[in-house]
Amino acid sequence: MAFSAIIAGDTLAKALEPVSALVDECKIRLNDDGIGICAVDAANVGMVDMELDASAFESYEATGGVLGVNLERLEDVLSMAESGQVVHFELNEETRKLDIEIGGLEYTLALIDPDSIRQEPDIPDLDLSGTYVFEGDHLDRAVRAADLCSDHISVDGVADDKLVFSAQGDTDDVDVTVERDDLPSGQLGDECSSLFSLDYLSDMKGPIGSDTKVSLRVGDELPIKLRYSLADGGVEVVNMLAPRIQND
C-alpha cells in the first residue's frame, strides 16, 4: 500500500470536522479518486459518510488500502498549519506510520490497526418522503432556538408546504418555520414528524456554513439524512441521525 499527498491544511481540516464531531478514530479509505470515511458513533445514533475528492489535493497518489487514524491527534497536527499552508503526507510502508510535513515542521503519526476500529456502517436505503433544500443558517437558527428550552428537537414536514423545527421544554415551547419561499428546490413530501437528540444535531451542523446549501431528507419517525458540500465541492458529506423513540 502506497500513499502520498499534498493538500491545503484548511481543506483537510474542514473535511475531517464532520467526522470528528461523531468519532475519535476512524478508517480512512484510500481510493483512486480520493479518500473516504464512513463512521458511526458508539451509540449507533449518528452516522457520517465523507468523501474528499482527489481534485481537492494539489497532489494525490494512492494504491488503495485503509489507514486507521486517531482523529484528535491528526487534527492537532493540522492546527499547526497557517492559513493556506499546504501539508505533505507520505506513508512509510516499513514503519506503518504517516510522515507529515508542514513548512519546517515534521511529524510522524502512528497509525491504528484498522481492524481494531469500529466497523464501518452500512448506509440504509430509507423511504424518506420529503427532501427540503435550504441554507445552513436556517438549521443553525433552529438548533439554537431549540436549545433555549429542550434537549430534543422535532423535525416536522408539513405536506407540500413547509418545514418546522420545534422543541418542548418543561415550561416553554419554540417553533422555527422554514417557509416554502425559503425552500428553493427539493421535493416537499407527505406530512411527517420525528424527534431527535439536540446534542447530536448540534454537533452535525457545526461544519455547515450559514450560506451552505443543505439537503434534508425526512420521513415519519425515521432517521433524517443531511447532505452538503464543503471546500468548493471538493468535500461531500452525508449525515444520518436516528430518531428518539417516543413512548406512548
Side-chain angles (χ1 to χ4, degrees):
M1 178 173 59
F3 171 63
S4 64
I6 302 173
I7 189 172
D10 296 340
T11 299
L12 184 55
K14 286 180 182 178
L16 294 177
E17 189 178 354
V19 184
S20 61
L22 292 177
V23 296
D24 297 324
E25 57 188 30
C26 68
K27 300 176 184 180
I28 299 179
R29 295 204 169 272
L30 307 175
N31 305 314
D32 292 340
D33 55 356
I35 67 173
I37 300 174
C38 190
V40 62
D41 82 299
N44 285 309
V45 175
M47 189 210 79
V48 60
D49 186 20
M50 185 280 294
E51 295 182 358
L52 175 58
D53 194 84
S55 63
F57 292 78
E58 293 192 8
S59 172
Y60 179 85
E61 294 183 15
T63 59
V66 181
L67 304 179
V69 173
N70 181 306
L71 279 174
E72 184 176 5
R73 290 217 309 270
L74 178 55
E75 288 183 321
D76 283 346
V77 177
L78 292 177
S79 71
M80 301 297 295
E82 298 177 359
S83 178
Q85 193 168 29
V86 298
V87 182
H88 296 244
F89 293 92
E90 189 80 34
L91 176 65
N92 187 318
E93 295 186 70
E94 293 184 3
T95 64
R96 296 290 298 172
K97 294 183 178 182
L98 194 60
D99 294 328
I100 305 172
E101 193 270 326
I102 308 171
L105 182 152
E106 295 182 359
Y107 192 97
T108 300
L109 180 69
L111 299 174
I112 304 171
D113 181 357
D115 291 338
S116 70
I117 297 176
R118 188 175 179 83
Q119 186 174 353
E120 296 161 301
D122 293 324
I123 302 175
D125 185 14
L126 300 173
D127 183 19
L128 300 172
S129 62
T131 302
Y132 300 83
V133 179
F134 50 87
E135 293 188 340
D137 59 346
H138 292 294
L139 181 61
D140 178 66
R141 186 166 182 254
V143 169
R144 288 189 294 109
D147 193 44
L148 296 174
C149 66
S150 180
D151 57 2
H152 290 89
I153 185 169
S154 179
V155 181
D156 306 321
V158 179
D160 298 323
D161 188 19
K162 57 191 175 184
L163 185 66
V164 180
F165 299 91
S166 60
Q168 295 181 346
D170 293 334
T171 58
D172 301 338
D173 303 333
V174 64
D175 292 336
V176 177
T177 300
V178 185
E179 300 287 355
R180 190 182 186 97
D181 289 346
D182 292 317
L183 301 167
S185 62
Q187 174 152 5
L188 308 190
D190 301 329
E191 197 101 1
C192 60
S193 178
S194 297
L195 187 68
F196 301 94
S197 163
L198 190 60
D199 285 342
Y200 274 92
L201 190 56
S202 181
D203 289 342
M204 287 181 175
K205 67 91 178 168
I208 301 174
S210 60
D211 58 352
T212 300
K213 285 287 187 295
V214 179
S215 170
L216 173 65
R217 296 192 63 199
V218 300
D220 196 36
E221 297 188 0
L222 289 170
I224 53 172
K225 182 181 286 189
L226 285 166
R227 182 185 295 271
Y228 60 93
S229 301
L230 299 171
D232 297 323
V235 179
E236 294 289 339
V237 181
V238 175
N239 277 126
M240 291 193 71
L241 180 59
R244 177 176 180 267
I245 302 302
Q246 303 186 59
N247 296 322
D248 293 332

